[in-house]
Amino acid sequence: QLFMSFLGVCGGEFSVLRSPQSVAFRDGSWPIPGERIPDVAALTMGFSVEEDLPWPGLAVGDLFHRPQATVLVTVKGVDKLPVKGFSYPIENAVPFSLDSVANAIHTVFSEEMPVVLQLAPSEERVYMVGKANTVFEDLSVTLRQLRSRLFQDSSILSSLPLNSLSRNNEVDLLFLSELQVLHDIASLLSRHKHLAKDHSPDLYSLELSGLEEVGKRYGEDSQQFKDASQILVDSLQKFADEMFNLYGGNAVVEVVAVKEFNSPLSRKTRSILQTSQTQKENPYNLAYPYDYNYSVIFNIVLWMMIGLTLAVIVISYNLWNMDPGYDSIIYRMTNQKIRMD
């Protein structure tokens, strides 16, 4: 099943472009922690997470109808994008990945080989698993392949209004090649529509850095950056609609727009003041949070011990009140031998 969500980061901003009725997002300005974005994707797809997510933006949806696909597009170099849909500010925009969601899909649907595609064109980083190797075997993934793809007859250059962007500038071509990837993903998937109707959920994670490079090259106040931003918004909205329709309206499409990620620079170290620091961080002496499997393990151990205890009591009672004359052949033979003597 495809879950599509387009996320935008307002310094960061998280935006949901398309979602089915089974997934309930609420309209509001509730901030979401950047490190919990993968948990939002997991919960919308029906998977459990290790830690509860007390975020009002996502309500409890239909538990029996989960999305068929998730599409998450990360756009670097801009605080927010004027996309249509629900948008939420992001707190602490740290780097994240959907590896945990991909692992959950592999674990539950390993035999059905779901489509999992994670791609960062500017870094030539690609990860395909399952049926994605068949569907996207012709997808251009290296910078050299993307450049040659742009100058083919069926490329987006023939239909996009470039305005102030140039076909002869490497930075502009990098930006346009990422848009070409979006177009090719939807085009290739449309040739394999049967994969969007199977019972396994699909996952798409894309990272676009072309707009960031345009801003560095021309400046964020330049006409080139403004034109590129508008072209990107239009392309994302079109991509979201195409993917949403390919999965029969049962997909969540999300976009994350982030100016730059906040990379933590501090290391975890031991200190002679560790005790006093811990007391300051936890002034009410609260207990540490339990693992999310704690209740399951506790119930297994509890009822197993109760069952074993009851079994020992019943067996002991019956052994104590056993009548040797009606118990086994050993006692009967013994009694018979005594009478004969």
Side-chain angles (χ1 to χ4, degrees), residues 312-324 327 331:
V312 170
I313 293 174
V314 172
I315 293 172
S316 300
Y317 176 82
N318 283 278
L319 285 174
W320 184 263
N321 295 280
M322 182 185 299
D323 186 353
D327 182 54
Y331 293 103

Side-chain angles (χ1 to χ4, degrees), residues 114-245:
V115 175
V116 176
L117 174 64
Q118 294 177 284
L119 181 64
S122 62
E123 300 178 9
E124 298 188 347
R125 176 162 44 89
V126 61
Y127 176 72
M128 299 184 191
V129 177
K131 297 175 184 177
N133 291 303
T134 302
V135 179
F136 303 111
E137 58 182 352
D138 298 328
L139 185 66
S140 300
V141 292
T142 66
L143 295 177
R144 186 173 182 178
Q145 291 174 339
L146 289 170
R147 181 180 180 124
S148 61
R149 174 72 182 92
L150 272 177
F151 291 97
Q152 295 177 3
D153 295 336
S154 59
S155 74
I156 60 174
L157 289 181
S158 58
S159 58
L160 272 184
L162 300 183
N163 297 330
S164 60
L165 300 180
S166 172
R167 297 171 179 241
N168 302 319
N169 191 291
E170 291 294 333
V171 174
D172 297 4
L173 290 177
L174 172 63
F175 168 75
L176 295 171
S177 65
E178 293 181 341
L179 303 185
Q180 182 68 56
V181 171
L182 297 180
H183 172 78
D184 289 344
I185 288 176
S187 178
L188 291 171
L189 186 61
S190 65
R191 304 176 193 173
H192 302 80
K193 293 182 179 179
H194 62 281
L195 297 179
K197 299 178 181 179
D198 56 18
H199 299 290
S200 59
D202 300 333
L203 178 66
Y204 301 85
S205 176
L206 309 172
E207 183 175 317
L208 308 182
S209 304
L211 185 62
E212 181 181 30
E213 297 301 323
V214 172
K216 291 179 180 178
R217 173 67 176 81
Y218 300 106
E220 297 184 5
D221 296 329
S222 64
Q223 188 60 42
Q224 289 89 341
F225 185 81
K226 295 178 182 178
D227 291 341
S229 300
Q230 186 59 51
I231 293 173
L232 177 60
V233 169
D234 295 339
S235 298
L236 287 175
Q237 193 66 60
K238 180 181 178 181
F239 176 67
D241 294 339
E242 290 175 345
M243 297 293 283
F244 186 77
N245 293 330

